Amino acid sequence: MTQEEKTDIEERIVDVLKTVFDPEIPVNVWDLGMIYKIEVNEDKTVDIDMTLTAPNCPAADYIVSDVKTKVESVEDIEAANINLVFEPVWDYSMMSEEARVELGFD
């Protein structure tokens, strides 16, 4: 797989991540800054490091499951490995400008 192909797949993954929402926040996980790493592997698997806005998030299972399901729906992806991490700790500075505006932080 060429770097160009990997980049194309990563862009499609970001597009589907923008359709995953925390049920309590009207902003997607990508713009919230909850995705720390996307790594497309030669075997057509993808490793994603992500976090939550709070470690005790009641929707954690739902959000992680939705990320996995949607990433695995991307053409050329065989499986997604979702790693839930809490370092660095998520904070408001990780949000995109659009997310900050949407949530009234700017």
Side-chain angles (χ1 to χ4, degrees):
M1 182 179 311
T2 67
Q3 185 57 46
E4 185 176 301
E5 291 169 324
K6 285 183 178 185
T7 299
D8 177 63
I9 292 170
E10 287 172 10
E11 289 172 356
R12 288 186 278 136
I13 289 169
V14 169
D15 287 343
V16 299
L17 290 172
K18 289 182 177 182
T19 69
V20 177
F21 290 81
D22 180 323
E24 297 177 341
I25 304 173
V27 177
N28 66 72
V29 297
W30 179 258
D31 286 325
L32 282 172
M34 293 168 53
I35 305 300
Y36 290 167
K37 178 185 88 170
I38 300 171
E39 184 176 329
V40 177
N41 303 305
E42 291 295 325
D43 63 357
K44 296 188 176 184
T45 62
V46 63
D47 296 318
I48 295 180
D49 287 354
M50 68 172 290
T51 195
L52 301 169
T53 56
N56 59 349
C57 174
D61 290 342
Y62 168 79
I63 296 167
V64 171
S65 176
D66 202 24
V67 166
K68 181 174 177 58
T69 299
K70 288 184 176 175
V71 169
E72 287 179 343
S73 75
V74 172
E75 185 178 350
D76 298 321
I77 294 297
E78 298 294 326
N81 304 306
I82 311 302
N83 305 306
L84 195 56
V85 299
F86 293 100
E87 288 187 22
V89 175
W90 182 89
D91 67 41
Y92 297 112
S93 70
M94 296 173 172
M95 293 190 295
S96 69
E97 182 178 335
E98 295 84 6
R100 287 192 301 274
V101 169
E102 176 71 25
L103 296 174
F105 290 103
D106 276 351

